[in-house]
Amino acid sequence: MDKAQLPKTVTKVVTLYDPRTWREKGLWWTLGLFLLTYLVVISILAIIWSRSPAKFDVNERAKELAGGDETKLVTGTRTTAAAIGIAETLLKKPGGYLSNDMTPPGVFLDNIPNWEFGALTELRDLNRAMRNEFSRSQTQSVEDADLQIAEPQFSYDSESWILPSTESEYRRGVQALYRYFDRLSDDRAGDGQFFARSDNLRSYLAVAEKRLGSLAQRLSYAVGQAQLDISLAGDPNAQQARPSPQEAQNKTPWLKIDDVFFEARGYTWALLHSLQALLIDFEPVLRDKNALVSLKQIIRELENTQNPIWSPMILNGTGFGPMGNHSLVMASYISRANAAIIDLRNLLEKG
């Protein structure tokens, strides 16, 4: 626009919204103007809120929580900082937490709520591991008081919008994690503990392995897949609750393809931060097992799942067809990360 025309344009817009103009044009014209303005604002907010959150540095986040005092960055503080960072991203990203929104534009959005559910799944797994594995020295040891609060708080209904709201319950979980972080790095002996042992890490990775395997399968269903029943393969005495067909055809409905994609993108985003934190907290254990490079490779594979999406929609072309298939590309990255986690678990056990 020509700079000379800018004042005239501003004057026209101001005149358009002047109450005197409304009286001249009438009620229906005024209502139409407000409706048009409302739709434009809602559309802009929907575009802004639909952007996936950026990654954050878990080490820098831990330093912030420690007030810049690096002497407080003891074993476990990075993992706790990662859990806090994931939770606060869910609550504080543009638009806030959207899965329980009942008003526009949040109620019309589905990609980010699915992203949130994927990230929330990993946050729940991490908190469960912190409560049951990382903070306990053995099976008979007492649970950490704050992690005992945090873990069920994040397991609260992800779509509750009132009495109590999901956000209020998750904030209580974040507050408990803050208290745990402070107790890890204070001067009181035995006040808070985090045990970086190979068996603890293997238990956590076993859960991540199953999550990634499930997501890879669901993503592959975007193009349809004929799958043989191998539930009881390898064990002649195995039984199951009810018979299943020898071959099943699985295909994700067209309207659900982007939902699965963004759930996988959210889960891998959160898992990426968790593993980056565990890489630091478990570095001596990983180095002793010659597994440091293996975990770095897993992190690199997960970083590929966060590459920018240049298409306005999730494409679902056939495997070798002229159009791309975003679900199969995501499944490829996830499958490679999953296979690397299996190798890492074996290395931690036998290395």
Side-chain angles (χ1 to χ4, degrees):
M1 179 185 298
D2 189 356
K3 291 183 179 180
Q5 296 294 327
L6 183 60
K8 296 181 180 180
T9 304
V10 173
T11 301
K12 289 181 180 180
V13 173
V14 172
T15 303
L16 191 63
Y17 286 91
D18 191 308
R20 288 174 295 182
T21 304
W22 304 344
R23 288 194 294 269
E24 293 175 2
K25 297 293 186 178
L27 176 62
W28 290 110
W29 185 90
T30 303
L31 290 176
L33 176 63
F34 272 101
L35 179 60
L36 177 61
T37 304
Y38 176 77
L39 292 176
V40 170
V41 171
I42 290 297
S43 300
I44 294 174
L45 286 177
I47 293 172
I48 296 173
W49 293 2
S50 293
R51 298 181 63 183
S52 300
K55 294 177 286 185
F56 62 89
D57 189 315
V58 294
N59 197 40
E60 289 300 320
R61 189 58 190 273
K63 289 180 182 178
E64 291 176 10
L65 296 178
D69 186 358
E70 295 194 17
T71 61
K72 293 185 176 181
L73 298 181
V74 298
T75 301
T77 51
R78 276 83 167 190
T79 302
T80 309
I84 292 173
I86 294 169
E88 289 190 334
T89 299
L90 286 170
L91 297 173
K92 297 181 180 181
K93 59 181 173 53
Y97 185 75
L98 299 179
S99 294
N100 61 347
D101 270 19
M102 302 298 291
T103 57
V107 70
F108 299 126
L109 304 178
D110 64 343
N111 290 343
I112 285 298
N114 281 288
W115 184 96
E116 290 174 343
F117 184 75
L120 180 61
T121 299
E122 162 54 19
L123 177 62
R124 289 169 172 173
D125 291 343
L126 180 60
N127 275 272
R128 191 172 297 113
M130 291 171 65
R131 176 185 180 182
N132 296 330
E133 307 291 342
F134 299 149
S135 65
R136 303 177 66 182
S137 60
Q138 53 187 348
T139 57
Q140 300 300 315
S141 57
V142 179
E143 291 180 324
D144 184 271
D146 286 318
L147 295 179
Q148 194 174 7
I149 295 172
E151 192 263 334
Q153 289 299 132
F154 292 116
S155 296
Y156 185 72
D157 181 9
S158 62
E159 297 183 358
S160 175
W161 66 280
I162 193 171
L163 298 177
S165 66
T166 299
E167 292 93 332
S168 64
E169 295 300 297
Y170 291 174
R171 288 190 188 100
R172 292 191 185 99
V174 173
Q175 291 167 3
L177 289 175
Y178 270 107
R179 293 193 298 270
Y180 175 66
F181 182 94
D182 292 338
R183 290 191 297 106
L184 278 178
S185 54
D186 62 22
D187 297 329
R188 289 175 289 182
D191 190 30
Q193 275 291 7
F194 186 100
F195 300 97
R197 302 194 312 262
S198 61
D199 60 320
N200 287 344
L201 184 55
R202 288 202 313 272
S203 297
Y204 168 77
L205 291 175
V207 177
E209 174 189 322
K210 291 181 175 63
R211 298 287 189 198
L212 292 175
S214 174
L215 287 172
Q217 281 284 64
R218 292 170 60 200
L219 287 165
S220 69
Y221 293 163
V223 294
Q225 184 179 26
Q227 190 170 12
L228 298 174
D229 182 26
I230 57 173
S231 305
L232 304 181
D235 189 347
N237 297 318
Q239 296 181 350
Q240 60 189 60
R242 60 183 65 190
S244 54
Q246 295 298 311
E247 183 174 343
Q249 183 71 29
N250 299 297
K251 185 173 176 61
T252 304
W254 186 76
L255 292 177
K256 296 291 183 181
I257 289 172
D258 60 334
D259 295 348
V260 178
F261 178 88
F262 278 98
E263 181 184 341
R265 191 170 169 87
Y267 178 82
T268 51
W269 176 88
L271 181 62
L272 171 62
H273 292 90
S274 299
L275 294 183
Q276 286 174 336
L278 293 171
L279 178 68
I280 301 173
D281 286 331
F282 283 80
E283 182 177 359
V285 175
L286 294 166
R287 195 178 298 278
D288 179 66
K289 299 285 187 177
N290 293 321
L292 200 61
V293 176
S294 298
L295 184 51
K296 288 181 179 180
Q297 181 60 35
I298 295 169
I299 291 172
R300 181 167 295 184
E301 296 292 352
L302 292 175
E303 285 176 340
N304 290 328
T305 66
Q306 305 304 307
N307 290 337
I309 303 172
W310 298 106
S311 172
M313 62 182 295
I314 301 304
L315 299 178
N316 190 44
T318 56
F320 295 105
M323 292 184 62
N325 188 299
H326 292 140
S327 296
L328 293 184
V329 173
M330 178 70 80
S332 173
Y333 290 137
I334 288 178
S335 296
R336 285 156 59 180
N338 188 27
I341 285 180
I342 295 172
D343 292 339
L344 175 59
R345 288 186 62 230
N346 292 331
L347 188 60
L348 289 172
E349 183 176 4
K350 300 174 183 178

